Amino acid sequence: MTVVFSGCGIAGTLHFGDNTAPGNRPDAAAVHRMTTALAHRGPSGEGMWQQPGIVLGHRRLAVTGIGAAGDQPMTRDHLTLVYNGETYNAPALRAELSAHFTFTSRSDTEVVLRAWQYWGANAVHRLEGMFAFALWDARTRQLSLVRDRIGIKPLYYHQGKDFLLFASEIEALLASGHVPRRPHHETLARQLLCSSTLQIDQSATPVERVRSLAPATTLTVSPDGRLDRHTYWQLPDTPTDSAPASATEQAHQLADLLGKSVDSMLMGDVPVAAFLSGGLDSSAISALASRTRTLPCVTTAYGDDGCPSSEGNEDLTFSRAVARHLADRVHHHVSVQPHVLGLEDLDAVCDLAAVGDDPRHVAILGNYQAVRDLGLRVVLNGQGADEIMGGYIARPAFVRHILDTRRPDTSTVRSLPASRQIPGLSSHLLALQPQAHADVLSYYRDVLTGPPLERVHRLLVHTQLTRVVQFEDFLAMRMSVEARFPFLDHRLVDWAFQQPFTTHVDASARHGKVHLTTAMRGTLPNRLLDRPKAVFPFPDMRAVQASLAALVTEHHDELTSDPLVNHMFAIPADPAAVGPETLWPLLALWRWHHKLRAPARAPVPA
């Protein structure tokens, strides 16, 4: 049996220049404060390692126990590693590397470490999985920070005058006491003007002097503080010089890739659940994962007192149909979420990496809590299929603001940034609107490649998908649960963009994911395969609006006295007359700013 770690939390600091020189630089105590702030990401254990000028910290969430042999930070020869994530091809890499090294643990952490020792930085091309890690080379005195291709696992950093800090969450960076607790107004403005799901700068965060390591990036930090970034993967160009495979062959290729991806994410006999929304994506994953095991499946529904409402729970109807179709291969669990939201809900989903602009995050957090309550730590998540295979083209918003496949007209794309804008913003922010919107359209037009339909989906992968996996990882780890994404295996993503994008869609029917639908014929009920595209369900928005309006009324004085909220929103005089699309982000920004300004535990440099 291959034994692996699940998602963890990492943190550390590197000092530049003379390590004996006096100065206000983070020490082991600061790193310990960061790892303490990451306890929810790794409640199974904590580790610390330090040498002159370098401190590495780790929090561990163990899927199954492997004893001290797998503890982190892990050192082999001149390399020391702290690692967060999963390398799904670790068994194959271990077998290959065993000709050169003796392995003393069964963890994928040691495989990643030895792979880097053998192949150097090119090892990232050999890793299949989701990961963020920091590797210290004592010979070169260089620190390498690395993030997976899609950016599923997060990594943030702050560069001070003579040091660098990194951590899995911004909140942990702030806990060090060495990062200023100030908002980055430009990034906040762009998140409100274009939504958090349409940000073209993948390194920007709304906290001043805090950066996110972009997906598919290696950042090498030299002893003198020089940062060298390298992008090691990008979406492939679609071949134009050869005829595509037949539709039947494409469906077979996709079925094979998805099946292998699901199998790899069940590696090591790991107890696992799956989300089952009753849509094509999660149903396909549940069907494939339950081929070899009985699979707990979780479906979100809305209701009161733990009972689903009689209306508005269409997903529940379809998920039950899939569960019946799969019979005794699945155990179906329904996670009933309330319609009414409170201040504690806003705080529970507040991530300093982005202002939350979707109240459904509360239900998503509830989903992960349901997995945890089942005694499980890993869940398969269907996110990503829509962005890589044209899944949104049946949605009205796609037709209005991106591209109508029945009547293609690229001028509709011009309305995309405006369609994502939060309503109710202040005149100060609205003055920045033209440039923010123009920058998104310029990126779509001048940076991305391919025909219009393909270019739109490259934009969605670069922006929307990056944000989706960000909040899914954050919410999952709040519950000490790891989310795995079979559709985001990079080989499957590569395959999707190597097909002419027109083959993913039935333009006349405004139907996407054609290859996936074909691949699952005979495995899933036709009723489900022919179901129109649906999104993660919303609660009863009338109840949401009423509860949010009550919160704005109750906390009106605090909202009006918050300078950031006042600068960015026109606070409504009558909250009952304003919709939740304004009230939720208004309250979310207030709670975000409250969390940012929480007292630091140590003096912060100016």
Side-chain angles (χ1 to χ4, degrees), residues 12-255:
T13 185
L14 174 65
H15 298 171
F16 310 140
D18 183 1
N19 293 318
T20 64
N24 183 21
R25 293 189 289 195
D27 56 10
V31 175
H32 177 66
R33 289 194 294 271
M34 291 197 289
T35 58
T36 299
L38 295 170
H40 54 281
R41 297 187 72 93
S44 304
E46 180 180 19
M48 191 83 67
W49 176 93
Q50 67 181 108
Q51 293 292 321
I54 177 79
V55 185
L56 301 178
H58 185 259
R59 295 291 313 204
R60 184 174 80 180
L61 173 62
V63 170
T64 51
I66 64 174
D71 284 351
Q72 295 188 51
M74 180 180 288
T75 299
R76 296 293 183 269
D77 300 322
H78 58 287
L79 301 177
T80 302
L81 177 69
V82 283
Y83 174 81
N84 168 27
E86 305 287 3
T87 298
Y88 299 120
N89 66 330
L93 291 176
R94 181 185 288 105
E96 182 176 356
L97 290 165
S98 291
H100 309 282
F101 304 102
T102 298
F103 286 86
T104 59
S105 80
R106 293 179 292 165
S107 71
D108 55 351
T109 305
E110 187 176 11
V111 173
V112 172
L113 198 155
R114 291 302 195 185
W116 191 283
Q117 186 173 359
Y118 189 68
W119 290 300
N122 286 328
V124 295
H125 300 291
R126 305 294 301 270
L127 304 181
E128 298 170 5
M130 56 180 188
F131 47 81
F133 63 83
L135 187 142
W136 170 249
D137 188 328
R139 289 180 178 176
T140 62
R141 298 198 61 78
Q142 289 185 328
L143 179 70
S144 296
L145 304 180
V146 183
R147 199 164 173 217
D148 66 69
R149 295 166 180 84
I150 306 298
I152 298 171
K153 287 299 176 183
L155 193 56
Y156 304 95
Y157 65 94
H158 162 78
Q159 185 173 11
K161 178 182 178 182
D162 53 2
F163 66 88
L164 181 133
L165 281 167
F166 67 87
S168 296
E169 293 181 8
I170 294 178
E171 191 172 351
L173 283 178
L174 297 179
S176 73
H178 291 266
V179 179
R181 291 177 173 266
R182 295 192 291 263
H184 191 269
H185 287 81
E186 180 182 351
T187 300
L188 283 170
R190 288 178 176 270
Q191 288 192 0
L192 295 170
L193 288 165
C194 301
S195 88
S196 66
T197 60
L198 204 60
Q199 300 303 306
I200 59 175
D201 184 352
Q202 296 176 314
S203 297
T205 81
V207 178
E208 190 174 292
R209 298 180 63 188
V210 172
R211 304 291 286 173
S212 171
L213 185 64
T217 299
T218 299
L219 177 68
T220 303
V221 188
S222 297
D224 61 0
R226 180 171 49 88
L227 306 184
D228 182 20
R229 295 173 183 82
H230 171 66
T231 300
Y232 64 87
W233 177 88
Q234 58 186 2
L235 291 175
D237 291 331
T238 303
T240 58
D241 56 354
S242 60
S246 68
T248 299
E249 179 60 23
Q250 287 173 312
H252 284 317
Q253 291 171 355
L254 176 55

Side-chain angles (χ1 to χ4, degrees), residues 193-405:
L193 288 165
C194 301
S195 88
S196 66
T197 60
L198 204 60
Q199 300 303 306
I200 59 175
D201 184 352
Q202 296 176 314
S203 297
T205 81
V207 178
E208 190 174 292
R209 298 180 63 188
V210 172
R211 304 291 286 173
S212 171
L213 185 64
T217 299
T218 299
L219 177 68
T220 303
V221 188
S222 297
D224 61 0
R226 180 171 49 88
L227 306 184
D228 182 20
R229 295 173 183 82
H230 171 66
T231 300
Y232 64 87
W233 177 88
Q234 58 186 2
L235 291 175
D237 291 331
T238 303
T240 58
D241 56 354
S242 60
S246 68
T248 299
E249 179 60 23
Q250 287 173 312
H252 284 317
Q253 291 171 355
L254 176 55
D256 180 63
L257 285 167
L258 182 58
K260 289 178 178 177
S261 177
V262 169
D263 288 344
S264 73
M265 296 183 193
L266 298 172
M267 62 183 287
D269 197 27
V270 175
V272 66
F275 290 141
L276 180 59
S277 70
L280 173 59
D281 310 336
S282 66
S283 298
I285 289 171
S286 297
L288 294 173
S290 64
R291 292 175 300 178
T292 58
R293 63 187 64 205
T294 301
L295 186 74
C297 291
V298 176
T299 300
T300 292
Y302 292 98
D304 299 310
D305 300 322
C307 297
S309 302
S310 57
E311 298 180 0
N313 281 316
E314 183 183 19
D315 273 8
L316 183 56
T317 300
F318 279 93
S319 65
R320 283 173 169 165
V322 174
R324 287 193 299 270
H325 180 77
L326 299 176
D328 57 357
R329 292 160 51 191
V330 302
H331 289 162
H332 192 208
H333 304 266
V334 180
S335 171
V336 180
Q337 304 296 320
H339 297 290
V340 176
L341 301 178
L343 201 61
E344 67 279 2
D345 296 311
L346 284 134
D347 288 339
V349 300
C350 180
D351 181 6
L352 290 175
V355 175
D357 45 20
D358 193 332
R360 293 177 298 176
H361 288 186
V362 176
I364 294 172
L365 181 68
N367 259 5
Y368 288 113
Q369 181 175 351
V371 172
R372 185 190 68 183
D373 290 346
L374 290 173
L376 301 174
R377 296 176 177 173
V378 180
V379 63
L380 302 182
N381 185 310
Q383 294 281 17
D386 291 313
E387 288 85 355
I388 69 172
M389 291 187 283
Y392 291 114
I393 68 167
R395 300 294 300 168
F398 191 101
V399 173
R400 290 194 301 271
H401 304 299
I402 301 184
L403 200 65
D404 186 347
T405 57

Side-chain angles (χ1 to χ4, degrees), residues 196 300 302 337-342 345-346 349 355-366 422 467 471 475 536-545 547-548 579-588:
S196 66
T300 292
Y302 292 98
Q337 304 296 320
H339 297 290
V340 176
L341 301 178
D345 296 311
L346 284 134
V349 300
V355 175
D357 45 20
D358 193 332
R360 293 177 298 176
H361 288 186
V362 176
I364 294 172
L365 181 68
I422 302 298
R467 171 61 177 143
F471 70 67
L475 297 174
F536 188 85
F538 285 90
D540 181 342
M541 296 310 287
R542 292 170 298 179
V544 170
Q545 193 276 341
S547 60
L548 296 179
E581 64 277 5
T582 295
L583 297 179
W584 174 269
L586 168 67
L587 288 162

